[in-house]
Amino acid sequence: GASLLFVVVLSLIMRYINGYTTFLQAFKGGFLLWTIVNLFDAVVLDIIWFCHDPYFVFKGTEDMVEEYHNYWFHIKGFFIGEALALVVCALAGLVVQFVL
């Protein structure tokens, strides 16, 4: 569900805001955008904030407090996000190339 929504939104951004018309342009631009957001999330939000704030816990995730304070948990999440980005950005590139 969410990945399909990301493909659609990323395709529209790459085509109509950035003006990209080829697979490679859209893939590279989308992957760069995704990586910047993913890196900000991993470093600023997860590692700097969540790992060091003993009081901040999302409601319903109280059983994950140990993971909140584990750097490796967030670093692995970053790389999982990058792997997902390869698929989503490739699909967005295809949409830009052949549909929009």
Side-chain angles (χ1 to χ4, degrees):
S3 292
L4 182 59
L5 179 62
F6 283 139
V7 169
V8 171
V9 170
L10 193 58
S11 299
L12 291 171
I13 290 170
M14 292 299 109
R15 177 62 183 98
Y16 295 109
I17 293 177
N18 291 69
Y20 297 154
T21 57
T22 69
F23 171 84
L24 196 55
Q25 287 175 328
F27 176 81
K28 288 184 342 184
F31 192 78
L32 178 63
L33 177 63
W34 184 297
T35 299
I36 290 168
V37 171
N38 194 24
L39 191 60
F40 176 84
D41 173 65
V43 173
V44 175
L45 298 179
D46 295 343
I47 293 174
I48 293 174
W49 184 8
F50 296 160
C51 283
H52 296 281
D53 187 342
Y55 305 106
F56 185 84
V57 177
F58 285 110
K59 185 177 178 162
T61 64
E62 293 84 359
D63 61 329
M64 294 184 63
V65 170
E66 188 175 318
E67 285 85 358
Y68 272 94
H69 301 287
N70 180 343
Y71 294 114
W72 185 242
F73 176 78
H74 299 294
I75 293 167
K76 285 191 298 187
F78 169 81
F79 286 109
I80 291 168
E82 290 299 285
L84 183 59
L86 291 171
V87 175
V88 169
C89 294
L91 291 173
L94 290 172
V95 169
V96 167
Q97 177 82 35
F98 295 112
V99 178
L100 299 177

